[in-house]
Amino acid sequence: MLTDIEIAQSVSPRPITEIAKTAGVPAEYLIPYGSDKAKIDLRLLEERKDAPKGKLVLVTAINPTPAGEGKTTTTIGLADGLRRIGKNVTVAIREPSLGPVFGVKGGAAGGGWAQVIPM
């Protein structure tokens, strides 16, 4: 079985333009920072203010299991499940756990939160 770091190193990030397209963000609203990061121009919100609203699921303040499964694992699993049943899902994770990758428990998790936004 591969370790978390081996899995992380075995893949390449998708271009941010591809991610944005999947999320329904046209390229003209992207402010790129290299090929894998971008900010989104706030004009997009103004131009879509009358569009149907999505739903928000907030995953917060969960005690991790002995295996270290907490907010990040729950959020990714929830997003995968919603996507599997045909929902359009966007995930925003603030300070995901660095423990599995760097071997330091609680490295970045702090009092962070994670969002699953079914759209």
Side-chain angles (χ1 to χ4, degrees):
M1 182 194 295
L2 295 175
T3 65
D4 291 338
I5 190 68
E6 290 169 332
I7 294 168
Q9 292 174 340
S10 72
V11 297
S12 298
R14 291 171 36 205
I16 194 62
T17 52
E18 185 181 321
I19 302 294
K21 184 178 179 181
T22 301
V25 177
E28 63 264 22
Y29 293 100
L30 291 181
I31 304 165
Y33 289 83
S35 63
D36 60 353
K37 289 184 277 202
K39 290 186 177 185
I40 299 173
D41 190 321
L42 289 178
R43 291 179 301 132
L44 180 63
L45 291 177
E46 181 60 31
E47 292 178 15
R48 294 193 179 172
K49 67 181 176 188
D50 296 327
K53 305 294 183 212
K55 294 181 174 56
L56 170 69
V57 177
L58 183 62
V59 178
T60 184
I62 186 172
N63 290 326
T65 67
E69 298 151 325
K71 292 183 294 293
T72 300
T73 305
T74 300
T75 300
I76 298 302
L78 182 57
D80 284 346
L82 288 168
R83 182 119 6 219
R84 185 170 207 125
I85 64 170
K87 301 295 181 184
N88 186 4
V89 178
T90 301
V91 175
I93 300 175
R94 185 178 76 88
E95 297 182 8
S97 177
L98 295 179
V101 176
F102 295 109
V104 179
K105 190 67 192 131
W113 52 266
Q115 296 178 37
V116 176
I117 306 169
M119 300 170 50

